[in-house]
Amino acid sequence: MFKRALPVFEAGKETEMNTFYGFYTKLPYNADTILKIAGSSVYSVAVNGEFIFTGPARAAHGYYRVDELPIGNYLKTGENVLTVRLSAYNCNSFSFLDVPGFLCAEVVQGGEVVRFTDVCDGGFGCVALDERVQKVFRYSFQRNFSEAYRLDARYGLFDVSPAESGHRSVTLAVQADKTFIPRSLFLPEFSVEEPQQILGSGTVSDGVEQPLYRSREHKKSEILDCFAEDELEYRCLDEARSLAFAKTDRTAIPWKPADLTADRFADLAWRCNLTGLIELRFTVTEACELLLLFDEIYNNETVDFLRLNCANVIRIDAEPGSYHLLTQEPYVFKYLRAVCRKGSVRIDEICLRRVSFYALPDRPQIADAELGRIYDAAVETFRQNTYDVFMDCPSRERAGWLCDSFFTARVERALTGKTEVEDCFLWNFVAHPTDPDLPDGMLPMCYPSDHTDHLYIPNWAMWYVMELEEYLAFTGNRAFAEQAKSRVMGLMDFLRRYENADGLLEKLDAWVFVEWSKANDLVQDISYPTNMLYARVKRAVAAIYGDASLIAEAEKIEAYIRENTVVNGFFCDNSYRRADGSLELSGECTEACQYYAFFMNVATPETHPELWRILMTDFGPHRKADNRHPKIHFANSFIGNYLRLDLLRRYGMKEKLTEEIRGYFLHMADKTGTLWEHDGEVASCNHGFASYIAVLLRDVLGV
């Protein structure tokens, strides 16, 4: 992948947490210029101060994807400055692997390598960028560190004259050999989205007394890397929570440059919920402290930067001067509150630079305006959650979760006719090495990530097999199915350890996950939705690898559930093992369990016509207003409501499917322009699996 470049990093700093470096070189103009680059943890590339790219695309442990970027169009006649800002996190998370930091890059002009990273004469220099504050809170339990900056004249100098910018020059050391692989993916879109409105402004005051917010991501432990409280340089989260806001001007006006003086704020709104890097051009006339608070929701004129249990706050301290700042990581919001705590600042430009799937052509014509808005929200949700892996959400986690991916993969296939992201996503799990944090045979619940708490979801590993079956049917990629075989069979061997005399899984360990509802409390000792999934997975393995014996095993599980778990006409969620060894049904029934039964073909409208009739007439988006079955616990969006909607599609009930899509999702599309994790706004309002509604609507509309 590289002809001359070597992976390098500052000697002795390879595993230090949250370091920030600037690599640079000077280039002559050449229209045929390619930058090949790989690194850890995350980098952004600019030419003459103009942003080009952020990466890398994530891969399994021991592998690093190489981005090949045509940059000739960004070069001007004469000398050009190429810069790479690299953050090395060196901590466990769900979004990046905990591996030592490095950068490997080379510039190819006219087919010849003209610049390359090494420790002598390759032409790349490196400085320590100390403007990003190192010792800060984590952004969330699942992601790495929040961002805070101390800016002076050196910041802008790095983009035009890095060697003379005044930053500490770094002595580089060659790092251990890396296994480099192609990116194997499209290059993402980085278009710019400006705010549409200023929603008003007001004053800020100190002194709000409330308990410190401390969650699991704030405590350093054997299973979580972070800075100890007494190490922190900034406590942006605490500072922001101590502020009181009084809105004095509620006049909404189109966006224009905003002047803020000490203890003033302004609220900005974008056209919809968006994901990207925050890009800011601002002028400081008096040394300032600027806070950026953001969220997806704007209830009661409040930007609740902690609503998602992550620190949606960025602090910027700046000396007088003009600045162009781009955050290192993407964030998700529709609303942003800019707060000046001291000094004076003029926000000349502020935008969100998208980090997303490319714009999709050929939007279908949708005469129904409400369905059109829902469709657009679904596509927007897909684009923001499909960057290099299928993510659960681009905000709190940015993690490649199984089960979520089953639905998002269907969207990629339907909207593009391709499997670019799915190819890489499924491969990552196959390439996942033996992991001391997981039992033999188990797949990680999300990946690439680190699971030092030994947590896994056995259900999600089974959904991997479900997705693999559909992937093989769509692509015909038998070679990959064979490559995945040892992982699939290892999983089946793992699950067999929990089979009881009836062939059902009993007393599964770790996090047994059915869906975000009461169903998740009803998973021991025997979870029947889990066993419905298990039977379906046995059929999938039989279909993929031709093991006919698994069909009989699946039929045995399905027959047991049909004959032994029905209570008052509904499938019961679980049984407990009595002291005498016999089984007792809990008597608890959830809406989600019924959908699992039909989705996994344990039941059909023909075998259970009365239950199907009840589900079709008495359940759906209207149920909370007219609950005819109060003993049946409600389903939630993930995944019960989606199983229901897919069943409507499966059985050709297009009119009802249209009605229910409107009932479940119109309020989401209208409020954020994206689709949500739950049926309320209590969590992520931008969740990858939810984009499956685009597939259902295309089916309804016949496109």
Side-chain angles (χ1 to χ4, degrees), residues 528-539:
Y528 293 114
T530 300
N531 276 285
M532 294 168 185
L533 171 62
Y534 188 40
R536 181 64 187 82
V537 165
K538 289 197 174 197
R539 290 182 178 274

Side-chain angles (χ1 to χ4, degrees), residues 651-662:
Y651 291 107
M653 304 175 70
K654 291 188 176 182
E655 184 175 338
K656 187 168 183 59
L657 178 57
T658 302
E659 170 198 337
E660 295 202 359
I661 287 175
R662 198 189 313 272

Side-chain angles (χ1 to χ4, degrees), residues 51 188-193 275 351-356 359 383:
F51 169 82
E189 180 175 317
F190 301 118
S191 60
V192 168
E193 298 261 5
T275 300
C351 66
L352 184 142
R353 187 174 285 275
R354 296 183 67 115
V355 177
S356 71
R383 293 182 62 204

